[in-house]
């Protein structure tokens, strides 16, 4: 009695969550654009096949571990809505250990931190009265890949869109640097 109830497939969310694994994929889009993909899946084979298909379909190449990771740096980023006091935020952020504060033309702000200092800086800014709109860890490119023609830009962006549309993909990072005049032609 009871033996049959404990056998078979997992039933419910907790068991499914236990089977989830985090994976990363690295490769190149057209024109040597480095692409770093973070995924979470319960089926490695399905996810690998879907990511490989996207790279192949868009003229890219899936690479091996480490093939593009060295071109990115894991950093913390905390964004603030327009209207934040530049001077006060800069003072609080630098005192908390942030690496940089960038002000946008619209009055918004982006505070960058090292991966190790991210949580401490975020908490210190909150304690100082600065509540960020968004706070997360991102892979920031250290080497840019200029994309100077419309056709290549379309291919690169198509690959990024295909990867982002995959259910298992969490984040897609790239080092494409597309000039504004080409971006304007894409719309």
């Amino acid at each position: 009695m009871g033996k049959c109830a404990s056998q078979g497939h997992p039933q419910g969310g907790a068991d499914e969550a236990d089977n989830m694994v985090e994976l990363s994929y690295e490769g190149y889009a057209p024109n040597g654009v480095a692409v770093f993909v973070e995924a979470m899946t319960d089926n490695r084979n399905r996810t690998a096949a879907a990511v490989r298909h996207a790279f192949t379909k868009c003229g890219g190449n899936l690479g091996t571990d480490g093939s593009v990771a060295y071109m990115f740096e894991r950093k913390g980023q905390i964004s603030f809505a327009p209207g934040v006091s530049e001077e006060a935020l800069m003072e609080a952020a630098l005192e908390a250990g942030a690496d940089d504060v960038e002000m946008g033309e619209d009055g918004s702000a982006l505070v960058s931190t090292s991966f190790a200092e991210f949580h401490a800086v975020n908490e210190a800014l909150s304690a100082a009265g600065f509540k960020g709109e968004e706070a997360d860890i991102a892979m920031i490119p250290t080497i840019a890949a200029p994309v100077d023609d419309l056709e290549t830009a379309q291919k690169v962006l198509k690959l990024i869109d295909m990867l982002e549309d995959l259910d298992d993909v969490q984040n897609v990072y790239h080092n494409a640097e597309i000039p504004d005049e080409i971006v304007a032609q894409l719309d």
Side-chain angles (χ1 to χ4, degrees):
M1 156 173 151
K3 247 184 174 181
C4 292
S6 66
Q7 296 176 350
H9 300 293
Q11 301 173 6
D15 290 333
E16 290 173 11
D18 290 343
N19 294 328
M20 299 297 279
V21 292
E22 291 182 19
L23 302 170
S24 62
Y25 299 93
E26 301 175 34
Y28 288 95
N31 206 51
V33 171
V35 180
F36 190 90
V37 179
E38 294 176 334
M40 185 171 288
T41 185
D42 60 350
N43 185 329
R44 292 172 184 254
N45 294 334
R46 177 193 65 225
T47 305
V51 169
R52 185 176 294 108
H53 173 74
F55 272 95
T56 302
K57 184 171 183 169
C58 297
N61 300 320
L62 190 58
T64 58
D65 287 346
S67 60
V68 302
Y70 71 93
M71 291 187 234
F72 294 87
E73 182 178 9
R74 191 170 294 278
K75 287 190 142 293
Q77 293 190 316
I78 309 161
S79 62
F80 295 88
V84 67
S85 168
E86 178 179 358
E87 191 174 311
L89 176 63
M90 189 165 300
E91 183 178 324
L94 296 177
E95 187 174 304
D99 292 341
D100 192 22
V101 179
E102 295 175 44
M103 297 302 294
E105 290 179 17
D106 63 352
S108 63
L110 180 66
V111 174
S112 298
T113 73
S114 68
F115 175 73
E117 295 295 321
F118 172 68
H119 290 294
V121 170
N122 194 21
E123 288 176 14
L125 290 175
S126 290
F130 295 100
K131 183 67 180 148
E133 279 188 318
E134 203 173 314
D136 58 6
I137 301 292
M139 294 291 283
I140 308 301
T142 56
I143 300 170
V147 177
D148 296 329
D149 66 276
L150 181 61
E151 185 179 336
T152 303
Q154 288 171 326
K155 288 178 184 177
V156 169
L157 295 176
K158 180 180 178 183
L159 171 59
I160 293 164
D161 287 343
M162 280 185 73
L163 290 168
E164 287 177 340
D165 287 345
L166 296 175
D167 290 339
D168 296 334
V169 170
Q170 305 297 306
N171 297 300
V172 178
Y173 304 104
H174 63 87
N175 68 345
E177 192 172 78
I178 303 172
D180 292 339
E181 53 273 7
I182 291 178
V183 171
Q185 294 176 41
L186 294 170
D187 295 332

